[in-house]
């Protein structure tokens, strides 16, 4: 994410050294994306180094050069996903005129991350690497750092959009858990073995999301009114 951010606004032709770096970044992104696709299609353990390299149209040596091992590559998938989410929290502004408008904007940020197919792959990576004796500590250290960033970014976004009283009332945590739970359930329903949501029309899915926003809005307005 940070490399992509550096590339924004770059004018003209980059020097040769920067062009090499950009090429390396593109290869890294291709490998990360190939790892996600492999896990979603074939499962965590069948997403081998060779399979990931094949999908990225590179040799196995590219994984070794950019990441060292398959496990380090998968940890980088997890870190990139959460880093992008933290960045979205930091750059989002909740500008709606009503509580419901701002909650809907907030929900879109949460659902874009936790409701994505990529997050289903991220969950598999975390569950498996955190139980690997050789990778557990590094995985948990990364998750602690990333979680701290999410909590900080979320609280800052809530305060920008709704004011400090949300935090004092505990509404920031309540809203996060409600929206995240819905998003993760939706992602699992789409990508899990039941494929429940895939049998439902988009109109039904959107209606359910709207009902959740309505319920949260009513709860928030009541809670704030009693202060």
């Amino acid at each position: 994410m940070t490399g992509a951010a550096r590339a924004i606004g770059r004018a003209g032709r980059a020097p040769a050294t920067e062009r090499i770096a950009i090429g390396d970044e593109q290869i890294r992104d291709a490998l990360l994306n190939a790892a996600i696709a492999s896990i979603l299609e074939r499962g965590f353990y069948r997403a081998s180094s060779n399979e990931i390299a094949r999908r990225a149209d590179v040799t196995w040596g590219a994984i070794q050069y950019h990441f060292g091992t398959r496990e380090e590559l998968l940890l980088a998938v997890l870190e990139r996903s959460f880093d992008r989410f933290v960045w979205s929290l930091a750059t989002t502004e909740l500008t709606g005129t009503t509580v419901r408008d701002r909650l809907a904007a907030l929900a879109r940020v949460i659902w874009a991350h936790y409701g994505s197919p990529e997050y289903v792959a991220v969950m598999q990576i975390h569950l498996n690497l955190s139980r690997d004796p050789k990778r557990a500590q590094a995985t948990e250290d990364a998750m602690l750092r990333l979680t701290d960033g999410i909590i900080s970014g979320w609280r800052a976004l809530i305060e920008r959009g709704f004011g400090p009283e949300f935090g004092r009332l505990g509404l920031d945590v309540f809203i996060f858990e409600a929206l995240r739970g819905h998003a993760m359930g939706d992602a699992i329903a789409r990508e899990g073995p039941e494929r429940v949501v895939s049998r439902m029309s988009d109109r039904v899915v959107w209606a359910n999301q709207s009902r959740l926003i309505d319920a949260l809005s009513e709860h928030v307005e009541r809670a704030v009114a009693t202060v």
Side-chain angles (χ1 to χ4, degrees):
M1 186 203 74
T2 54
R6 288 196 302 271
I8 294 174
R10 181 180 289 131
R13 184 171 174 80
T17 54
E18 289 193 18
R19 291 201 299 274
I20 293 172
I22 293 170
D24 284 346
E25 185 173 309
Q26 290 171 341
I27 293 172
R28 284 176 59 89
D29 277 343
L31 286 166
L32 295 171
N33 294 336
I36 293 168
S38 297
I39 291 171
L40 290 175
E41 183 176 321
R42 300 177 63 84
F44 180 86
Y45 290 105
R46 295 182 68 191
S48 65
S49 296
N50 288 335
E51 172 64 17
I52 293 168
R54 182 190 66 79
R55 285 176 182 266
D57 196 25
V58 297
T59 65
W60 180 89
I63 294 178
Q64 188 175 38
Y65 174 76
H66 288 284
F67 299 98
T69 65
R70 168 185 177 269
E71 288 71 26
E72 292 297 326
L73 163 61
L74 297 179
L75 184 58
V77 169
L78 185 152
E79 291 177 324
R80 184 186 68 168
S81 177
F82 280 94
D83 281 338
R84 285 176 170 178
F85 181 47
V86 171
W87 180 83
S88 72
L89 294 175
T91 56
T92 295
E93 296 299 334
L94 307 177
T95 56
T97 57
T98 67
V99 168
R100 193 194 188 286
D101 289 341
R102 282 170 280 161
L103 282 174
L106 201 60
R108 287 192 290 272
V109 176
I110 292 290
W111 291 340
H113 175 66
Y114 290 105
S116 68
E118 178 176 334
Y119 191 72
V120 176
V122 166
M123 283 193 289
Q124 293 186 56
I125 290 170
H126 177 246
L127 287 171
N128 285 280
L129 291 187
S130 64
R131 287 161 176 76
D132 181 342
K134 295 181 180 179
R135 303 294 171 183
Q137 189 60 56
T139 303
E140 290 311 303
D141 289 345
M143 284 304 302
L144 286 173
R145 175 184 66 80
L146 295 166
T147 301
D148 284 345
I150 290 171
I151 292 171
S152 177
W154 176 258
R155 286 175 174 167
L157 177 57
I158 288 286
E159 184 162 342
R160 291 199 306 273
F162 298 95
E165 67 274 8
F166 268 49
R168 291 196 294 268
L169 295 170
L171 291 171
D172 53 344
V173 176
F174 169 72
I175 293 169
F176 180 80
E177 290 181 346
L179 295 176
R180 181 184 60 175
H182 177 86
M184 291 174 65
D186 182 61
I188 293 170
R190 288 180 185 276
E191 301 296 332
E194 304 94 343
R195 300 292 172 95
V196 175
V197 175
S198 64
R199 300 194 202 103
M200 298 166 59
S201 70
D202 286 339
R203 186 167 62 180
V204 172
V205 174
W206 295 333
N208 288 337
Q209 292 174 345
S210 182
R211 291 186 186 103
L212 176 59
I213 298 299
D214 288 340
L216 285 174
S217 300
E218 292 174 7
H219 177 83
V220 164
E221 288 170 350
R222 285 198 305 270
V224 172
T226 60
V227 176

